Amino acid sequence: MQQNLQTVVKNFFVFGLPILLSIFVAFELGYFNMATKPSNHNLNVLKKPLALFSQSPMTGFYRDGYCRTGPEDGGNHAVAGVLTKEFLDFSASRGNNLRSIGLEPGCKWCLCTARWKEAMEAAKGTEDPVVPKVFLHATHESALDNGITMDALKKYAAEPEAAGGGGSLERKAPISPGTKGGIAKETH
């Protein structure tokens, strides 16, 4: 019995303690902080706290309802937009079929900056529905570091945003979010 206890203690110090210390150090260095970083430490393109965009469907790279980004987000899912049939078709034609994860026209979704910019460049004018309308209060500031200008975002801002509104996006948005989608993982 004494020898078994000694073996357990020895194994803990040889295997268990280094693992626990590694986890503690990782937390202290912030390796696990991105997914739990409060959204009020993230700014929108207006340099104000990032607004919640959608929880139905649950959107955002971290699936927390915010279009916040971090080093793990290679697609920079920073643009808060409302999906249109034309954008869904356009995205599918580029290899990212968002319908396959349950999204449909009207859903609020955090879009990759490059794909939104690509749709804007392909548009035949500012009223072309291939470009999703944008909610500035919920669009992460990193969109501006990834090839999208503030003028472009304002040009495609949703009505209350273009008028200088914002506030509660869920109540003021002219387009209701869809109810399908749930937690999803994009395929790009």
Side-chain angles (χ1 to χ4, degrees):
M1 179 76 172
Q2 183 71 18
Q3 190 174 16
N4 285 343
L5 182 59
Q6 288 175 339
T7 303
V8 168
V9 170
K10 179 182 173 188
N11 284 339
F12 172 76
F13 282 105
V14 171
F15 300 108
L17 189 59
I19 291 171
L20 289 175
L21 286 173
S22 297
I23 292 170
F24 175 76
V25 168
F27 271 104
E28 287 300 308
L29 293 176
Y31 289 115
F32 299 111
N33 286 344
M34 281 311 295
T36 58
K37 184 178 177 185
S39 63
N40 60 356
H41 295 298
N42 288 276
L43 298 177
N44 62 30
V45 293
L46 303 170
K47 302 299 182 204
K48 295 182 180 176
L50 188 65
L52 176 67
F53 189 49
S54 176
Q55 292 181 317
S56 180
M58 187 63 78
T59 191
F61 180 78
Y62 298 108
R63 296 301 187 254
D64 61 359
Y66 293 89
C67 296
R68 61 193 182 93
T69 64
E72 309 90 349
D73 182 5
N76 192 257
H77 294 77
V79 178
V82 178
L83 300 177
T84 62
K85 175 193 175 305
E86 293 79 5
F87 179 80
L88 289 167
D89 293 343
F90 179 81
S91 186
S93 76
R94 301 297 195 270
N96 188 15
N97 183 1
L98 296 171
R99 288 185 180 98
S100 70
I101 57 172
L103 297 176
E104 58 188 26
C107 287
K108 290 184 174 182
W109 199 246
C110 296
L111 305 169
C112 294
T113 54
R115 184 56 40 87
W116 186 87
K117 182 180 178 193
E118 205 178 332
M120 181 188 66
E121 290 169 349
K124 294 173 178 64
T126 58
E127 297 305 314
D128 190 335
V130 74
V131 186
K133 293 297 182 187
V134 175
F135 289 85
L136 303 176
H137 287 74
T139 296
H140 192 269
E141 66 182 341
S142 65
L144 299 173
D145 298 330
N146 285 279
I148 297 177
T149 66
M150 189 63 178
D151 286 341
L153 289 171
K154 285 180 178 180
K155 186 188 303 184
Y156 292 97
E159 287 180 38
E161 296 282 309
S168 173
L169 299 177
E170 295 297 328
R171 280 184 273 133
K172 292 184 180 181
I175 305 169
S176 301
T179 56
K180 293 185 179 177
I183 296 176
K185 184 71 178 160
E186 291 182 50
T187 58
H188 58 86

